[in-house]
């Protein structure tokens, strides 16, 4: 077992005959994916990417990562949404959230995902006086947050090492043949990698978009891709035992019963950014036509002390999906304390992972009693192989779930509304007619 969907705590809320009833719809969704007959079918490049990826580019990614680790103290990754979430999620899941502080060698930071000047100033302070490289990720090269960060970072890099050397330290992941960033990269001689045309941002983590930063973190990207490839073989069918599709089916059965919020939970803080990646994947894929399961997340037991009350006793609009990591990255043996001043000697003489597991089990039972359906995704550990396997599991489940909702899981028309307003208020050329209208509404 690498990844397994477990419904043992779901029987109180969903009967097996409900899975049987929805399965013809699951099979239809699978058919739409395989035949490329459903909406968004021009963005299905992810489906067999773990097998059919560009091997030549993969080798260039590994070579570039080796160079960056050798000649840089810091790598700054400038990207937003799918252009940073996947890479950061994998790095922190595999290496830990404190990898920059605890491990020698290259430090990796992410920016271009915010317009906060304080955040960007902190990144600049980290880079100032250090050998640093930049990986800028944008298909168009005009994404506001990313482009702002990149122009400032590039200026600092050129001031520190000169334009010629700076050009050797900038890596652009962008469109294969066109766009502002591609044109600039070719002009300056930056090494470039491809944002695939047939893969949307939230499905892009196993392309160069995610693989270059992940490889720079000294994570085995061969193992990552092998995990995804094995999951592809496992879940690319419409059999009733397909766990990715059973997860999609369970979500939709619960949604049709009024459970409109999913809380993705894990008892390992290293999983925090995987939760954030999941939220983009499902939120951007399903949230259309006034439909969709709202993706939320918690890290437990931490958030039991803030959200536990609402989950236990609040509005019954939610279900929980617990990611059960069977083996933590490290364990801690608890010894007895002389005097037992804190009253915790009853926890001594065992590994802390046992305590964490009992907390999980007790919480699951309490929340079932409180009327909250419980799904479980079990994973052996957060190795590169298993994280790759998990990524493909989510991909298949999300695509199927979107078709079950009768939405296009691969577009994001709603994100253009805020951009139009933002550009008008900032005075971007071409938006003048809208500016006065919006400013009047703000008065």
């Amino acid at each position: 077992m690498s990844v397994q969907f477990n419904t043992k705590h779901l029987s109180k809320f969903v009967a097996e005959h409900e899975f049987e009833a929805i399965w013809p719809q699951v099979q239809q969704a699978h058919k739409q994916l395989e035949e490329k007959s459903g909406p968004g079918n021009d963005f299905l490049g992810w489906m067999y990417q773990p097998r059919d990826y560009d091997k030549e580019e993969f080798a260039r990614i590994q070579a570039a990562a080796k160079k960056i680790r050798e000649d840089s103290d810091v790598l700054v990754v400038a990207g937003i949404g799918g252009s940073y979430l996947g890479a950061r999620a994998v790095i922190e899941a595999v290496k830990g959230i404190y990898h920059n502080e605890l491990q020698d060698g290259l430090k990796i930071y992410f920016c271009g995902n915010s317009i906060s000047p304080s955040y960007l100033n902190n990144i600049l302070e980290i880079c100032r006086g250090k050998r640093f490289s930049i990986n800028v990720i944008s298909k168009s090269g005009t994404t506001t947050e990313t482009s702002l960060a990149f122009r400032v970072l590039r200026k600092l890099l050129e001031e520190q090492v000169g334009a010629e050397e700076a050009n050797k330290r900038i890596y652009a992941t962008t469109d294969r043949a066109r766009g502002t960033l591609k044109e600039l990269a070719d002009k300056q001689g930056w090494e470039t990698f491809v944002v695939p045309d047939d893969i949307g941002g939230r499905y892009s983590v196993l392309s160069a978009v995610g693989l270059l930063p992940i490889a720079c973190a000294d994570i085995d990207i061969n193992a990552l891709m092998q995990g995804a490839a094995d999951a592809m073989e496992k879940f690319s069918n419409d059999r009733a035992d397909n766990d990715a599709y059973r997860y999609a089916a369970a979500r939709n059965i619960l949604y049709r019963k009024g459970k409109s919020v999913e809380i993705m939970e894990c008892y390992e803080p290293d999983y925090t950014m995987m939760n954030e990646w999941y939220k983009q994947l499902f939120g951007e894929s399903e949230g259309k036509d006034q439909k969709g399961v709202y993706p939320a997340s918690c890290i437990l037991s931490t958030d039991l002390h803030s959200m536990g009350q609402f989950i236990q006793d609040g509005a019954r609009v939610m279900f929980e999906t617990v990611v059960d990591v069977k083996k933590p990255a490290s364990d801690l043996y608890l010894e007895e304390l002389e005097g037992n001043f804190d009253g915790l000697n009853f926890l001594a003489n065992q590994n802390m992972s046992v305590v964490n597991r009992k907390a999980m089990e007790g919480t699951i039972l309490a929340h079932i009693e409180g009327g909250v359906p419980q799904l479980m995704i079990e994973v052996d550990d957060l190795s590169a192989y298993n994280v790759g396997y998990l990524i493909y599991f989510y991909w298949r489940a999300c695509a199927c779930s979107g078709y079950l909702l009768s939405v296009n899981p691969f577009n994001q028309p709603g994100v253009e509304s805020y951009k139009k307003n933002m550009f008008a208020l900032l005075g971007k050329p071409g938006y003048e007619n809208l500016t006065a209208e919006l400013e009047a509404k703000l008065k």
Side-chain angles (χ1 to χ4, degrees):
M1 180 201 78
S2 290
V3 174
Q4 182 172 316
F5 177 58
N6 193 323
T7 59
K8 66 182 180 180
H9 297 300
L10 192 60
S11 58
K12 180 179 176 181
F13 306 95
V14 177
E16 190 60 34
H17 70 80
E18 294 180 87
F19 281 101
E20 295 171 2
I22 202 174
W23 207 255
Q25 298 170 50
V26 171
Q27 291 175 315
Q28 178 60 29
H30 173 76
K31 183 179 180 181
Q32 288 178 289
L33 288 169
E34 293 298 324
E35 295 182 353
K36 298 186 176 181
S37 59
N41 55 59
D42 49 343
F43 285 96
L44 295 178
W46 57 270
M47 281 176 53
Y48 292 97
Q49 181 195 26
R51 179 191 66 198
D52 301 334
Y53 63 91
D54 185 335
K55 308 303 189 294
E56 183 275 332
E57 183 179 57
F58 192 84
R60 287 199 302 114
I61 288 170
Q62 291 175 306
K66 182 175 184 292
K67 176 182 179 296
I68 292 168
R69 290 197 303 271
E70 290 173 349
D71 70 13
S72 300
D73 303 312
V74 173
L75 171 68
V76 183
V77 182
I80 195 168
S83 295
Y84 98 98
L85 274 172
R88 185 173 174 185
V90 171
I91 291 169
E92 293 192 7
V94 177
K95 304 287 283 190
I97 57 176
Y98 297 116
H99 63 96
N100 281 330
E101 291 80 9
L102 293 174
Q103 297 169 17
D104 295 331
L106 183 72
K107 314 302 180 186
I108 301 176
Y109 297 95
F110 293 85
C111 72
N113 48 61
S114 167
I115 312 179
S116 163
S118 300
Y119 186 95
L120 187 53
N121 274 323
N122 288 338
I123 294 292
L124 292 172
E125 283 304 307
I126 288 170
C127 294
R128 194 165 279 117
K130 295 186 178 71
R131 302 179 305 160
F132 76 96
S133 294
I134 306 169
N135 177 206
V136 55
I137 307 171
S138 174
K139 190 168 180 64
S140 66
T142 58
T143 307
T144 304
E145 294 89 341
T146 300
S147 297
L148 274 175
F150 177 56
R151 66 155 56 186
V152 174
L153 285 164
R154 181 186 173 198
K155 181 175 182 290
L156 175 62
L157 185 59
E158 290 179 347
E159 288 173 351
Q160 290 193 174
V161 300
E164 183 178 351
E165 178 62 23
N167 286 337
K168 299 175 184 177
R169 294 175 173 273
I170 297 174
Y171 303 80
T173 308
T174 187
D175 190 87
R176 184 183 300 276
R178 60 185 181 275
T180 301
L181 183 55
K182 175 61 176 172
E183 292 174 9
L184 182 60
D186 288 345
K187 180 181 177 181
Q188 299 297 323
W190 304 335
E191 185 165 9
T192 61
F193 300 94
V194 175
V195 178
D197 288 331
D198 59 352
I199 298 177
R202 55 192 177 274
Y203 281 82
S204 68
V205 60
L206 298 184
S207 72
V209 170
L211 290 178
L212 179 57
I214 292 167
C216 285
D218 205 18
I219 291 172
D220 185 352
I221 59 174
N222 285 297
L224 184 74
M225 294 299 284
Q226 188 60 55
D230 289 350
M232 180 192 74
E233 293 296 327
K234 179 76 171 176
F235 301 129
S236 299
N237 63 74
D238 64 356
R239 295 194 305 266
D241 64 350
N242 183 325
D243 275 353
Y245 287 168
R246 281 182 64 82
Y247 170 52
R251 296 176 82 253
N252 279 268
I253 292 168
L254 291 168
Y255 176 69
R256 296 172 193 184
K257 293 183 175 186
K259 304 299 184 183
S260 58
V261 176
E262 177 179 25
I263 307 178
M264 184 68 65
E265 299 169 351
C266 187
Y267 285 72
E268 291 295 336
D270 290 345
Y271 201 82
T272 300
M273 289 307 298
M274 284 294 292
N275 275 344
E276 296 303 307
W277 174 80
Y278 138 82
K279 286 194 286 192
Q280 186 200 5
L281 179 65
F282 280 87
E284 207 168 59
S285 296
E286 291 190 329
K288 289 148 199 174
D289 305 327
Q290 289 74 57
K291 293 186 287 189
V293 177
Y294 181 82
S297 67
C298 287
I299 291 295
L300 306 180
S301 62
T302 304
D303 291 333
L304 290 175
H305 296 260
S306 57
M307 293 299 296
Q309 173 62 40
F310 191 98
I311 296 171
Q312 185 71 42
D313 289 337
R316 300 296 76 180
V317 297
M318 72 192 76
F319 62 94
E320 295 174 277
T321 299
V322 178
V323 179
D324 178 10
V325 180
K326 298 294 186 181
K327 182 180 179 182
S330 63
D331 217 327
L332 180 65
Y333 187 76
L334 300 172
E335 299 178 347
E336 286 195 18
L337 181 65
E338 185 176 352
N340 192 26
F341 77 91
D342 55 10
L344 295 180
N345 272 354
F346 74 98
L347 299 177
N349 302 314
Q350 61 184 340
N351 286 329
M352 195 167 176
S353 62
V354 176
V355 181
N356 200 27
R357 177 157 299 278
K358 296 307 177 185
M360 180 186 76
E361 292 170 352
T363 302
I364 288 171
L365 294 176
H367 289 179
I368 290 172
E369 187 67 24
V372 184
Q374 302 288 305
L375 312 181
M376 291 193 73
I377 298 171
E378 299 174 333
V379 57
D380 290 339
D381 57 35
L382 295 179
S383 63
Y385 175 89
N386 284 331
V387 171
Y389 202 106
L390 192 60
I391 285 168
Y392 194 89
F393 168 89
Y394 282 128
W395 280 354
R396 270 284 174 175
C398 184
C400 176
S401 190
Y403 282 158
L404 289 174
L405 282 169
S406 299
V407 301
N408 180 348
F410 308 110
N411 68 353
Q412 51 280 340
V415 301
E416 296 307 315
S417 298
Y418 88 86
K419 290 182 182 179
K420 180 180 66 174
N421 289 351
M422 180 178 71
F423 291 151
L425 291 170
L426 288 170
K428 184 174 181 178
Y431 291 81
E432 293 85 357
N433 292 338
L434 183 59
T435 304
E437 176 188 339
L438 295 178
E439 287 178 343
K441 290 180 179 180
L442 289 171
K443 290 180 179 177

